[in-house]
Amino acid sequence: SYEEILSDAEERMDKAIAVLSHNLTGIRTGRANPGLVESVRVEVYGSATPLKQLASIGTPEPQQIVIRPYDVSTIKEIEKAIVAGDLGLNPQNDGRIIRLNVPPLSTEVRKKMVARIKELTEDAKISIRNIRRDANKAADTAEKDKTMSEDDRDKLKDEVQELTKKFEAQASELAKGRESEVMEG
């Protein structure tokens, strides 16, 4: 139905923005941010587990991340996973906690991060446009099956287009905010 198509499109577009937002938190700025390491997968207890399930992660200083494993016997595995994660961070471990000093970003690295932000944002916008296409297809099908009038189909397509614009603008806003964080570090 009209309402179902519209709410499904909105829900899916909202998810695309949530994914973008999550992906952008993993982008490095010159500041320490738990998001840089939270999703690093650590091989412990026979499976790859996200770091945030194995330790508390804090940023006591703007340039430092502190990781406190809930079980200190996992500290070596955590350290290994961070090094293997190729984040450009050098873990220091005192047997109880791991400290990561986040170096300031070079101009070249900042430009790479901004390029990555643009890539992630474009992926989100492509998802949003694909959702628009699906909703429009559903509207056309409903009209062909005589479960929706031509006028309703056209109105629905207009509303889906408005949603598309709204969510693409949200994606651009998120990206702009993250880019300025990266550039000022």
Side-chain angles (χ1 to χ4, degrees):
S1 78
Y2 187 103
E3 290 306 319
E4 285 168 349
I5 294 170
L6 195 60
S7 72
D8 177 62
E10 186 166 17
E11 212 170 282
R12 289 173 57 204
M13 287 179 185
D14 208 34
K15 279 190 187 128
I17 293 295
V19 167
L20 173 64
S21 182
H22 174 76
N23 289 340
L24 290 178
T25 58
I27 298 276
R28 230 174 100 190
T29 64
R31 284 214 173 89
N33 172 348
L36 294 175
V37 294
E38 283 179 343
S39 57
V40 168
R41 293 201 162 284
V42 183
E43 277 298 325
V44 287
Y45 316 123
S47 71
T49 310
L51 178 56
K52 69 178 170 195
Q53 292 177 14
L54 300 170
S56 74
I57 304 166
T59 52
E61 297 167 36
Q63 301 300 131
Q64 190 177 75
I65 298 173
V66 172
I67 300 166
R68 294 177 196 283
Y70 300 130
D71 173 356
V72 288
S73 72
T74 61
I75 203 160
K76 283 279 179 233
E77 286 80 7
I78 291 173
E79 197 173 9
K80 240 185 267 170
I82 290 167
V83 171
D86 207 19
L87 304 165
L89 301 173
N90 198 3
Q92 288 142 5
N93 145 17
D94 69 4
R96 292 176 306 116
I97 64 172
I98 296 172
R99 291 181 196 285
L100 300 170
N101 290 314
V102 179
L105 300 178
S106 68
T107 305
E108 186 184 327
V109 172
R110 287 179 199 275
K111 285 181 182 160
K112 275 187 193 158
M113 295 298 161
V114 167
R116 181 75 184 123
I117 290 168
K118 288 186 187 327
E119 229 171 82
L120 291 168
T121 305
E122 193 48 41
D123 290 349
K125 287 180 177 181
I126 289 168
S127 291
I128 290 166
R129 289 181 207 125
N130 288 340
I131 295 162
R132 173 185 60 196
R133 186 197 60 219
D134 294 347
N136 286 343
K137 220 182 267 177
D140 287 335
T141 303
E143 192 265 334
K144 266 192 206 99
D145 297 344
K146 304 286 182 231
T147 57
M148 188 183 291
S149 71
E150 247 180 83
D151 287 349
D152 280 349
R153 179 202 61 196
D154 295 344
K155 198 172 123 198
L156 177 58
K157 283 185 172 187
D158 288 343
E159 283 192 55
V160 168
Q161 181 55 33
E162 287 307 308
L163 280 179
T164 303
K165 279 187 202 159
K166 178 180 119 181
F167 283 102
E168 282 187 332
Q170 277 183 22
S172 295
E173 278 305 301
L174 280 172
K176 208 167 74 183
R178 200 64 178 147
E179 279 177 30
S180 68
E181 285 172 27
V182 167
M183 291 319 282
E184 65 199 29

